[in-house]
Amino acid sequence: MGAINAVATLAVEGDIGILTLNSPPVNALSQQVRDGIHKGIQQAVADTAVQAIVLICEGKTFFAGADITEFTQGPLSPSFPEMIDAIEGSPKPVVAAIHGTALGGGLEVAMACSYRIAVPSAKCGLPEVNLGLLPGAGGTQRLPRLVGPEQALDMVTSGKPIDARTALASGLIDELIPEGELRNSAIEFARKIARNRPLRRVRDMNDKVAAARGKPEIFADFRKANARKFRGFLAPEYNIRSIEAAVNQPFAEGLQVEQQLFKELMQGTQSAAQRYVFFAERQVWKIPDVPDDTPIIPIKKVGIVGAGTMGGGIAMNFVNVGIPVTIVETRQDALDRGLGVVRKNYERSTKSGKLTMADVDKRMSLLTGTLELERLADCDLVIEAIFENMDVKQGVFAKLDKIVKQGAILATNTSALDINDIASVVKRPESVIGLHFFSPANVMRLLEVVRTRHSSKPVIATAMQLAKKIGKIAALVGVCPGFVGNRILHARTLQADAMLLEGAMPWQIDKVLYDFGLPMGQFAMADLAGLDLGWVKERSASATIREVLCEADRRGQKTGAGYYDYDEQRHPSPSPVTEKIIRDFAAKSGLPQRQLSDQEILERCVYVQINEGARILEEKIAIRASDIDIVWINGYGWPVYRGGPMFYGDTIGLKHVVAKLKAYGPKLGSNFTISPLLEKLAAEGKRLQDAAG
Ligand code: 3H9
């Protein structure tokens, strides 16, 4: 066995050369890996004993793609095309032996080989679109030749991998190999095909693309069907164009189109943002003062106090992964209603085929309802999910402190109250933590894990690990009003409300935010949540536009009217009634009305968010800027291609943000101040990403 370089070896067994790569953790195609493949193939070709070559990886996976950390560096030799050419140009057949995930450049390497074999658990995909890119090493040209343009379009624009059986059925791979026998079977396979001539090359397979030629409707229909999903993103459209080139142009020309489009995407801000998010999603789990070997509290049984919308949704998360849940209510009718809603939610999933009725019954059997708090005594984690009232919550925690076994985690789902105050009533404040789920709790991916002054490291580590287990992305934050997400939302809400009084209408503000890429605007979102959240009729004094709307029974979507008017299908339309309410309110307040530009609306809404994020970092409420971005992407639908408010601030430049905030001055409100951290970073020409929380 000969070492090619630090990550590659070439072994010759009889007439087969076995080129093995080993570059943990995921065999990303770094310069060294590319070099190993390039030189390894050349050596195998030069070895007269070798008739065919097997390309295989050690560790948990086949190549998982290009090394994303290299993207910001200049060209490193050998380039992707040089490596791919070495494989495809080999005068001896090359067999890719796939296990784990052949992704991105990894699958492109496999497609440059003459044959592909895989174990059944393997997955193949081109996820570049998730990084704001397209497969830039021939993937958009070879994939449609193997699987046809329709499936190729799906794969490159969704980024979702397919399993080995599907890959076999569609022609992407040639044979399935039993688990655990990949190396030997690959050698056997290579022997079988070693003398097949002419050499098989994917670039020469034209049947599937030729069949689609002259059928532009394939692409037009695909664009139309996915327009909503692709809104705002550049990469899906570029991927489609590249597949179109594969269908309509000869291989070499298609490849040139692919490379040009890849370059454009790579140089743009969208891909930079999406690559940043890729690492942010992995970084968010790392807590500097909570080491990886922190003991974890086993969570075998969960208790939930409150069977309302939040309590029920939270329960589903645990039941879904097989953890039994006991849910407590104060009244039987409320308990029945809560459990009924959970069942209905599950039953809805049977209609879409996600669950069978047997699955529903199994999940419901893991959910026990009770009126007795004492039944939570043996739970490892109890989550309080009742309405937002400090006295009542403290009462529940004082009782839980007496009932629940020592060592268990006592969590609150509060989105508004000071968790240090809640923890102050128990004798074990180190066991208390915030688990702020977002509504609907069974759907939304974000979880804010809120550490108090006393939360212990095992409690924090357990909460983070549990979040992963139930499929959430968790950001660890500190206690402050609104934590990270709602605090930043509040800063925007103040501006949006102020702009109404200055003369902008809700639909103008919403359109600006929607066009920026958010799923819905400020006021449409308020209508959806209900304008009467926290509103008390008896105490209502027409003090805000929102109060006046509630007093007129315009309480949002549920009453058919709020800021907008709604039809039967809940489609919104601008409301003359709301407009009059706003104009009258402004007149009464003596505020002059003016035309606001879309630019002013966007800047005031978004720049105050950047400023609030900087404050959060300053106060060490978040660990790092990218955690704030994770919160806003996953909890509020901030467009991934803009990387989150912090990344967006860095992209447009903090100097510019500060200058604009200063220029708006008193318009931003008498309580508004610029974050000293933001000013400092701007003055030093630095980025929020450079600031540790
Ligand atoms: C591409 O291929 C472009 C081409 O078309 C060529 C153009 C010319 N690079 O996710 P994990 C790190 S674009 C660098 O926690 P898992 C990751 O940051 C690429 N690093 O593991 C983490 O580091 P740390 C297309 C990478 O088991 C560690 O590996 N390919 C890369 O949950 C473990 O990762 C993709 O987009 C990479 N490509 O999941 C695939 N991948 O420990 C991206 C991972 O320091 N990767 N790392 O935090 C994945 O989807 C998952 O990592 C994978 C494993 C499914 C493979």
Side-chain angles (χ1 to χ4, degrees):
M1 176 125 75
I4 304 290
N5 65 15
V7 296
T9 51
L10 179 67
V12 179
E13 294 189 16
D15 53 355
I16 305 299
I18 303 130
L19 179 56
T20 307
L21 277 293
N22 185 14
S23 178
V26 296
N27 287 313
L29 290 152
S30 61
Q31 184 275 335
Q32 210 173 31
V33 173
R34 294 197 303 275
D35 182 59
I37 297 175
H38 191 246
K39 290 203 180 109
I41 295 281
Q42 283 177 339
Q43 269 193 33
V45 168
D47 189 329
T48 49
V50 171
Q51 297 297 326
I53 306 159
V54 168
L55 180 56
I56 193 166
C57 289
E58 276 184 9
K60 67 176 179 181
T61 180
F62 195 72
F63 311 106
D67 184 339
I68 307 166
T69 58
E70 268 183 12
F71 283 176
T72 44
Q73 300 170 28
L76 296 169
S77 180
S79 65
F80 266 83
E82 282 166 340
M83 170 189 61
I84 296 279
D85 287 349
I87 301 169
E88 199 174 49
S90 158
K92 301 171 182 179
V94 184
V95 178
I98 302 172
H99 76 293
T101 43
L103 298 179
L107 183 58
E108 292 176 292
V109 163
M111 290 192 291
C113 296
S114 333
Y115 298 89
R116 287 148 295 285
I117 61 172
V119 291
S121 59
K123 290 202 163 76
C124 299
L126 293 174
E128 283 87 343
V129 71
N130 298 326
L131 300 168
L133 294 171
L134 54 81
T140 63
Q141 305 307 299
R142 291 190 181 87
L143 185 66
R145 285 179 158 77
L146 284 165
V147 305
E150 284 91 347
Q151 190 178 345
L153 280 172
D154 257 343
M155 285 178 71
V156 296
T157 58
S158 74
K160 285 198 188 115
I162 56 172
D163 60 43
R165 282 179 214 288
T166 312
L168 179 70
S170 61
L172 180 53
I173 61 171
D174 300 293
E175 206 167 290
L176 278 184
I177 299 299
E179 300 288 343
E181 293 172 25
L182 188 58
R183 190 174 188 278
N184 286 342
S185 301
I187 294 170
E188 222 172 90
F189 184 92
R191 270 195 190 117
K192 217 166 53 190
I193 54 83
R195 288 177 176 79
N196 285 0
R197 293 293 182 280
L199 275 174
R200 189 171 181 248
R201 295 193 315 173
V202 175
R203 62 186 296 154
D204 302 328
M205 299 177 180
N206 283 317
D207 294 1
K208 289 187 179 171
V209 284
R213 226 161 269 160
K215 290 188 193 160
E217 65 278 9
I218 295 177
F219 299 98
D221 293 351
F222 188 78
R223 284 189 173 96
K224 210 166 142 203
N226 291 287
R228 232 177 114 96
K229 202 162 85 198
F230 299 159
R231 181 176 79 95
F233 287 93
L234 276 184
E237 171 57 25
Y238 276 48
N239 271 280
I240 297 171
R241 276 192 225 161
S242 208
I243 302 270
E244 257 175 330
V247 166
N248 296 318
Q249 298 184 36
F251 183 84
E253 285 170 30
L255 207 55
Q256 273 176 12
V257 172
E258 178 191 276
Q259 282 185 8
Q260 178 56 33
L261 293 176
F262 179 82
K263 210 162 98 193
E264 279 177 38
L265 286 174
M266 184 62 105
Q267 287 165 352
T269 54
Q270 289 207 355
S271 175
Q274 290 178 256
R275 282 181 273 135
Y276 160 86
V277 173
F278 175 87
F279 289 111
E281 282 180 348
R282 283 154 180 82
Q283 187 84 351
V284 75
W285 303 100
K286 295 173 185 155
I287 320 291
D289 68 328
V290 179
D292 286 348
D293 59 357
T294 304
I296 298 293
I297 303 163
I299 305 292
K300 299 207 178 78
K301 189 175 168 192
V302 171
I304 292 175
V305 185
T309 315
M310 276 322 274
I314 294 170
M316 290 172 75
N317 287 294
F318 296 101
V319 164
N320 289 348
V321 295
I323 301 177
V325 174
T326 301
I327 192 160
V328 187
E329 252 303 339
T330 48
R331 292 196 332 266
Q332 189 64 45
D333 59 338
L335 182 61
D336 292 344
R337 203 171 39 242
L339 294 177
V341 171
V342 172
R343 178 172 273 283
K344 252 200 206 114
N345 279 340
Y346 279 136
E347 283 175 357
R348 205 170 304 133
S349 302
T350 60
K351 293 199 182 97
S352 59
K354 278 194 202 128
L355 293 181
T356 62
M357 273 317 281
D359 295 329
V360 176
D361 290 339
K362 193 159 165 227
R363 290 187 193 196
M364 288 308 291
S365 74
L366 288 173
L367 187 57
T368 310
T370 175
L371 300 179
E372 296 161 33
L373 212 54
E374 289 70 20
R375 295 274 295 278
L376 304 184
D378 63 341
C379 287
D380 305 298
L381 161 70
V382 176
I383 305 171
E384 164 278 308
I386 59 172
F387 55 96
E388 298 283 11
N389 177 301
M390 179 58 87
D391 291 344
V392 184
K393 284 195 195 264
Q394 283 184 330
V396 167
F397 269 77
K399 282 189 199 154
L400 289 174
D401 196 23
K402 293 202 180 83
I403 295 170
V404 183
K405 69 180 182 191
Q406 288 301 316
I409 300 177
L410 303 180
T412 172
N413 177 49
T414 186
S415 61
L417 301 176
D418 186 327
I419 306 179
N420 284 311
D421 287 350
I422 297 177
S424 69
V425 301
V426 302
K427 292 202 184 71
R428 38 174 151 164
E430 70 283 359
S431 296
V432 177
I433 199 159
L435 293 180
H436 180 210
F437 287 85
F438 284 66
S439 186
N442 54 317
V443 176
M444 295 292 288
R445 209 173 152 225
L446 179 66
L447 180 68
E448 279 182 328
V449 175
V450 191
R451 74 193 289 178
T452 71
R453 267 197 296 274
H454 300 291
S455 304
S456 74
K457 290 180 184 178
V459 166
I460 294 169
T462 304
M464 296 300 284
Q465 200 197 58
L466 195 61
K468 221 178 220 176
K469 183 165 184 184
I470 61 174
K472 302 285 180 204
I473 186 152
L476 183 69
V477 304
V479 175
C480 69
F483 313 130
V484 166
N486 283 342
R487 177 168 162 181
I488 291 178
L489 177 64
H490 181 66
R492 191 183 81 183
T493 305
L494 291 178
Q495 290 310 310
D497 286 350
M499 287 189 280
L500 285 189
L501 294 179
E502 290 169 44
M505 284 297 117
W507 27 97
Q508 186 192 357
I509 296 173
D510 279 1
K511 183 168 184 313
V512 169
L513 293 174
Y514 180 80
D515 289 346
F516 181 71
L518 284 145
M520 61 170 63
Q522 176 79 23
F523 298 101
M525 193 169 88
D527 274 356
L528 179 66
L531 302 189
D532 54 357
L533 267 180
W535 176 71
V536 184
K537 193 173 181 180
E538 295 70 33
R539 290 208 298 266
S540 191
S542 310
T544 60
I545 290 169
R546 197 170 166 137
E547 276 197 351
V548 179
L549 288 169
C550 286
E551 288 159 16
D553 205 31
R554 299 182 66 91
R555 289 182 287 126
Q557 277 199 20
K558 59 185 170 190
T559 56
Y563 285 104
Y564 292 84
D565 290 335
Y566 292 90
D567 65 16
E568 306 275 275
Q569 280 77 45
R570 295 201 171 189
H571 289 141
S573 55
S575 166
V577 182
T578 300
E579 177 156 0
K580 184 164 178 336
I581 287 176
I582 294 170
R583 303 269 185 233
D584 289 352
F585 193 95
K588 228 170 42 198
S589 317
L591 295 164
Q593 299 267 291
R594 66 186 169 95
Q595 189 78 36
L596 276 85
S597 71
D598 287 355
Q599 186 188 344
E600 174 173 349
I601 291 173
L602 184 68
E603 288 175 349
R604 283 175 61 184
C605 281
V606 173
Y607 293 7
V608 294
Q609 292 188 276
I610 298 167
N611 187 62
E612 199 61 38
R615 280 198 174 290
I616 285 170
L617 279 180
E618 217 164 79
E619 293 167 23
K620 304 201 181 299
I621 296 293
I623 297 170
R624 45 184 95 81
S626 60
D627 289 6
I628 300 176
D629 288 331
I630 287 295
V631 167
W632 258 74
I633 287 168
N634 294 285
Y636 302 81
W638 180 280
V640 182
Y641 57 80
R642 294 194 199 275
M646 303 289 96
F647 183 85
Y648 183 67
D650 287 342
T651 306
I652 53 179
L654 300 185
K655 260 199 186 96
H656 167 76
V657 174
V658 169
K660 279 290 188 174
L661 288 173
K662 284 187 175 159
Y664 285 119
K667 278 191 198 152
L668 300 178
S670 51
N671 290 329
F672 180 84
T673 51
I674 296 180
S675 146
L677 174 68
L678 187 67
E679 276 202 274
K680 181 170 174 284
L681 291 171
E684 291 169 356
K686 289 195 178 147
R687 307 172 306 171
L688 285 158
Q689 287 162 71
D690 302 323

